[in-house]
Amino acid sequence: MNIYEKVSVCTFVMVVLMACASKTSYLIKGRSSDFADGNKVYLLYLDANEEPVFIDSTVCKKNSFVFRGVADTIRVATVAVLDTLNCEDGISIDLILEPGKISIEGFDPETNHLHVATGTSLNNVLDRFSREMMPHVNNPDSLFPFIASYIRENIDNPVGGFLFDCYHFSMPWEMKLNLINSMSAGQKASYAALSKETLMRIEQEKEHAAKARESFPGNLYKDFTGKSPSDKEVSLKSVVEDDSNTYVLLIFWATWCAPCRADMPVIADLYNQYRDKGFEVFAASIDDNRTAWLEIIKDYSQWQNVIVGSDIRDKYGVKGVPAHFLIDCSTGKVLIADTWTHRTLNWTDEIVNLFEKNK
């Protein structure tokens, strides 16, 4: 082989290698006045144990930063712009780490709920999702169907997995169960290949969804016991089967939960208004701090308060508090279920209507 042939072969090999590299390499450029010079920037993702895996790091210069690398696996990643690694006031931007040029510009926490990365196909999908979601943010009736439609359309790529992980906790159980059941074996395999933790959560959601369905309106309530302020075991059954009670509002709550605390005066008003008509409350706290619980319930000792473990909350398929269940004492059936994943936004109005029509 002469020198010209060697050069030709080397040039061909270099061209092939460059072509291959260009198909898997990524370039992330970030620029914004929010990216202060000297800020540290980290590129990372979470492993199956929710632990951060750091891919790269750099420092902001002239309000910008750059990351270069090879995307051998397309995955959800995070760019964190911080003063220090432990800074709580940093900027966190989720994106899809995929080959191509990814641009992060004009970070605006007031108008962008999800991310501001564009330039590649999947990041453009996320960008479109975040912008199209804006009109639905304050309307749960349209928000979750909108999110579910995007998950279905992207179930076989990281966008679907990412959106599922972000929103399935707050999605209505019925919708979530239908979404999970609609996944094909191939789609689940794609989840496993792209995100083992997402597949694990899907399987967990099946179990939680099945439990939650058992507490939907029309089903019988499930009895349990909790510890009273005097440390005695008190059962929900003892309150439901009390002849003086017509309806029992079962609530799951916690002292550290701001919406729960805001609920208490509202429930107290309902109690004062309809107690003489048989309205009773069974408040089950999931607090670990018994002292804090005892302090708060001093103001709400008019009804039965108990403290329970997570197993009781799971029994009702409750993943977030507050959660409300109205039980008809005459039938033992749940009339109203209002949880983070089965919303009855007007549950207080329904209670009022129930008593008013039975005057």
Side-chain angles (χ1 to χ4, degrees):
M1 181 181 294
N2 61 40
I3 186 65
Y4 299 107
E5 291 173 324
K6 290 181 179 179
V7 170
S8 297
V9 170
C10 289
T11 301
F12 174 75
V13 170
M14 289 178 65
V15 169
V16 170
L17 289 175
M18 290 175 66
C20 291
S22 65
K23 291 180 180 179
T24 60
S25 62
Y26 61 82
L27 171 65
I28 303 174
K29 288 186 176 183
R31 178 182 295 277
S32 171
S33 59
D34 291 276
F35 304 152
D37 289 2
N39 279 175
K40 293 184 178 180
V41 189
Y42 299 88
L43 178 63
L44 61 114
Y45 67 91
L46 299 180
D47 65 14
N49 296 316
E50 300 282 334
E51 294 296 326
V53 177
F54 292 92
I55 302 171
D56 204 350
S57 64
T58 187
V59 176
C60 286
K61 297 179 181 179
K62 297 181 179 180
N63 303 113
S64 63
F65 62 84
V66 175
F67 286 117
R68 290 184 176 87
V70 175
D72 50 359
T73 299
I74 300 176
R75 66 170 79 249
V76 176
T78 300
V79 170
V81 184
L82 311 169
D83 287 332
T84 66
L85 186 56
N86 295 320
C87 175
E88 295 181 356
D89 297 323
I91 298 170
S92 179
I93 304 162
D94 294 310
L95 53 80
I96 306 297
L97 190 61
E98 61 179 333
K101 295 180 180 179
I102 302 171
S103 175
I104 299 173
E105 294 186 6
F107 179 82
D108 186 351
E110 296 299 323
T111 58
N112 291 277
H113 289 252
L114 193 60
H115 73 110
V116 286
T118 57
T120 57
S121 58
L122 293 181
N123 282 298
N124 287 341
V125 170
L126 275 179
D127 178 68
R128 187 171 68 251
F129 167 82
S130 65
R131 297 176 190 281
E132 292 180 357
M133 181 178 67
M134 291 299 296
H136 303 280
V137 168
N138 295 318
N139 185 359
D141 291 338
S142 66
L143 175 61
F144 293 113
F146 168 79
I147 293 172
S149 68
Y150 258 86
I151 293 175
R152 289 191 185 94
E153 291 170 9
N154 296 279
I155 204 69
D156 57 353
N157 68 55
V159 171
F162 176 62
L163 295 179
F164 185 87
D165 279 348
C166 284
Y167 296 105
H168 76 277
F169 292 105
S170 299
M171 187 174 290
W173 281 111
E174 189 73 24
M175 181 180 295
K176 177 161 42 183
L177 187 61
N178 289 339
L179 181 63
I180 292 171
N181 288 338
S182 70
M183 297 177 187
S184 67
Q187 288 168 337
K188 291 177 183 177
S190 296
Y191 266 75
L194 297 168
S195 175
K196 292 182 179 179
E197 61 270 26
T198 299
L199 182 64
M200 177 183 67
R201 287 172 184 161
I202 289 175
E203 295 305 317
Q204 290 174 344
E205 287 307 315
K206 282 187 174 181
E207 181 180 350
H208 283 294
K211 288 182 179 179
R213 286 171 64 87
E214 294 173 3
S215 299
F216 279 6
N219 291 311
L220 294 173
Y221 81 96
K222 300 176 185 178
D223 186 34
F224 63 87
T225 61
K227 288 289 185 71
S228 72
S230 60
D231 213 30
K232 293 182 180 179
E233 292 283 348
V234 180
S235 70
L236 173 60
K237 181 179 180 180
S238 67
V239 179
V240 173
E241 295 189 355
D242 187 324
D243 290 339
S244 64
N245 297 329
T246 305
Y247 300 104
V248 173
L249 179 65
L250 165 63
I251 61 173
F252 290 94
W253 73 291
T255 59
W256 42 259
C257 165
C260 298
R261 297 282 291 274
D263 258 357
M264 288 305 186
V266 175
I267 295 172
D269 286 343
L270 288 172
Y271 187 87
N272 293 334
Q273 189 172 358
Y274 298 114
R275 178 65 197 108
D276 61 348
K277 295 183 178 180
F279 181 58
E280 189 53 80
V281 175
F282 194 85
S285 167
I286 61 171
D287 273 281
D288 292 325
N289 189 332
R290 183 178 176 83
T291 302
W293 172 65
L294 289 172
E295 183 63 28
I296 295 299
I297 63 173
K298 286 179 181 177
D299 296 329
Y300 302 103
S301 59
Q302 63 268 47
W303 56 63
Q304 184 62 63
N305 289 286
V306 297
I307 196 165
V308 299
S310 59
D311 58 322
I312 303 301
R313 179 187 63 188
D314 291 343
K315 189 174 185 177
Y316 272 77
V318 173
K319 296 193 66 177
V321 290
H324 316 88
F325 300 89
L326 187 71
I327 301 166
D328 184 341
C329 297
S330 64
T331 63
K333 290 185 177 182
V334 176
L335 298 182
I336 299 172
D338 172 67
T339 72
W340 279 30
T341 49
H342 184 273
R343 302 302 284 166
T344 304
L345 298 179
N346 59 340
W347 61 273
T348 55
D349 291 339
E350 290 197 22
I351 291 176
V352 170
N353 292 336
L354 196 62
F355 280 103
E356 293 301 317
K357 77 177 182 179
N358 291 330
K359 278 186 175 180

